[in-house]
Amino acid sequence: MESEEIWMERHVLHRHGWSISALAREFGFNWRSARRYACTPAPPHYPARVRPAELSPAQLAHVERRLAACPSLRGTVLLRELRELGYSASVASLRRRLRILRPAALAEPLIRFETGPGVQSQGDWTDCGTWPLDDGSALLHAWVTVLGCSRMVALRFATNKTRATTLAAIVRCIDDLGGATAEMLTDRDPALVVGSLPGGGPIFAPQWLDTAALLGMRPRACRPYQAKTKGKVERLNREIKEDFLAWLSGQVRPARPTLADYDAAARRWALEVVAMHRHRTTGRIVGEAWDAERPLLRPVPRRLLARFEGLEVIDVEPESWLSAARSAGEQVEPRPLTAYAEVLA
């Protein structure tokens, strides 16, 4: 509703020669509204909005008690209950009253936490869209790993997200970052998590457990439908879509780019762009914080890295810890049963 001063201004302008059309153009009205404001002898008033029907003290107490127990209770259910208490208004009137009385839904608070150097890294897949690859094009995915303390990032590209491809990307990204942290937090990607315990805990894939053990890190998984728990890598995924891919589109690429070419471009972006950036949360230059964190990381065993370098990644049968350790160069010496008897004696 217009104030009396604004009505007076338009009323006076019309009396001093302003046409209705000029008033409509000046104040952004249609001509009917302009005529109503200019020609009425007093400021126009709108009728008061119909207020919701009042609830008696007994009805109000019943509604508050029911909403406290079930905040999402439907108005039609409450209407049936209130009819027995003498409520005679419509369901629309009751709903208007419930908008005031219903408690606001409380979202689960987001807790930001920082981890010390070498403690945690976070990883996740992100889809990068269709890009030229070899003689054609393909939908590319990037495994993103970020160090929780320094925020340094590493990317490795792939055309699929199978378990073997995921493990290879994880190992390569960890090597790009200079080594493994004490733990890695991921979502419940089916390549890494194959089920859930009755209490909700994750059941990790045997291959992921073996690889994590060889890296000297403990795998962790977010709670179901709580991806924001790994908010650091989620923020990096957004930055990759908004910054890296735009940066990549302006780079000179080979006529027949390969996944290795995209990996090299991602490495350049991490070193030339991300490492030079002052992180808004930590207030530190990412590259400087990374230099301080790198000595605390556990290097990737060379033989473990050689399993994935230069090889076509395909799915394989689950490997036991023994076969994984042997493939990484660890030797297990078989012992006779008498040796165990001596230990137990």
Side-chain angles (χ1 to χ4, degrees):
M1 183 171 62
E2 297 293 331
S3 67
E4 185 174 354
E5 291 79 8
I6 296 177
W7 166 82
M8 180 62 70
E9 177 185 8
R10 296 168 189 175
H11 193 71
V12 170
L13 287 175
H14 180 58
R15 292 182 58 183
H16 282 76
W18 281 53
S19 66
I20 299 298
S21 299
L23 289 173
R25 288 192 300 269
E26 177 68 20
F27 295 100
F29 287 157
N30 60 47
W31 69 272
R32 292 184 180 85
S33 298
R35 184 178 63 180
R36 182 169 64 253
Y37 289 126
C39 300
T40 55
H45 293 279
Y46 298 96
R49 180 177 297 179
V50 177
R51 294 178 57 84
E54 295 293 339
L55 296 169
S56 68
Q59 296 166 354
L60 179 60
H62 177 79
V63 171
E64 290 177 343
R65 182 173 62 253
R66 295 288 280 123
L67 291 179
C70 183
S72 60
L73 190 64
R74 299 180 63 180
T76 52
V77 176
L78 273 173
L79 181 66
R80 291 197 300 267
E81 298 175 359
L82 290 175
R83 291 296 191 212
E84 300 177 0
L85 299 176
Y87 186 77
S88 58
S90 65
V91 66
S93 180
L94 177 61
R95 284 172 177 161
R96 288 194 293 270
R97 175 61 60 186
L98 291 179
R99 293 191 190 104
I100 305 172
L101 299 176
R102 193 184 300 275
L106 297 178
E108 184 175 350
L110 297 179
I111 302 176
R112 293 183 178 271
F113 64 94
E114 295 296 324
T115 54
V119 174
Q120 187 187 86
S121 55
Q122 298 182 5
D124 192 16
W125 281 110
T126 186
D127 297 329
C128 299
T130 302
W131 290 81
L133 187 66
D134 295 327
D135 292 327
S137 60
L139 177 63
L140 297 185
H141 316 282
W143 177 264
V144 184
T145 302
V146 58
L147 295 176
C149 180
S150 64
R151 302 303 207 277
M152 189 57 183
V153 62
L155 289 77
R156 287 287 180 159
F157 284 89
T159 56
N160 62 73
K161 296 189 283 188
T162 63
R163 178 168 297 133
T165 301
T166 302
L167 295 180
I170 290 175
V171 172
R172 290 168 176 169
C173 283
I174 290 175
D175 185 62
D176 291 340
L177 291 171
T181 53
E183 63 182 30
M184 172 172 276
L185 178 65
T186 66
D187 60 12
R188 302 209 171 194
D189 190 294
L192 304 176
V193 178
V194 296
S196 298
L197 297 171
I203 302 176
F204 294 105
Q207 300 96 321
W208 173 219
L209 288 174
D210 288 347
T211 303
L214 292 172
L215 291 169
M217 67 192 316
R218 181 169 67 96
R220 292 186 57 194
C222 300
R223 289 180 297 165
Y225 311 109
Q226 293 292 332
K228 289 183 178 180
T229 306
K230 59 178 194 354
K232 297 170 186 176
V233 72
E234 292 289 346
R235 180 64 183 89
L236 255 301
N237 287 345
R238 176 181 171 185
E239 189 169 348
I240 287 169
K241 295 179 185 298
E242 298 178 355
D243 188 309
F244 169 68
L245 295 181
W247 176 88
L248 182 62
S249 65
Q251 303 300 305
V252 178
R253 295 188 299 272
R256 300 174 57 189
T258 63
L259 291 178
D261 294 323
Y262 288 106
D263 290 343
R267 183 69 172 168
R268 281 184 52 207
W269 176 75
L271 294 175
E272 298 176 5
V273 179
V274 177
M276 300 295 106
H277 172 68
R278 183 180 296 276
H279 197 272
R280 183 172 57 184
T281 301
T282 64
R284 303 176 64 187
I285 301 296
V286 173
E288 296 176 358
W290 182 39
D291 290 338
E293 184 174 18
R294 209 177 325 178
L296 301 176
L297 305 178
R298 179 172 178 173
V300 177
R302 293 297 94 188
R303 294 193 180 185
L304 175 62
L305 188 64
R307 294 175 56 195
F308 302 107
E309 289 295 342
L311 300 178
E312 180 67 21
V313 180
I314 57 176
D315 279 320
V316 294
E317 292 298 321
E319 296 178 297
S320 66
W321 160 252
L322 180 61
S323 62
R326 284 175 175 170
S327 65
E330 302 290 342
Q331 299 297 321
V332 179
E333 179 184 356
R335 298 184 180 183
L337 293 177
T338 55
Y340 297 98
E342 295 174 358
V343 174
L344 295 175

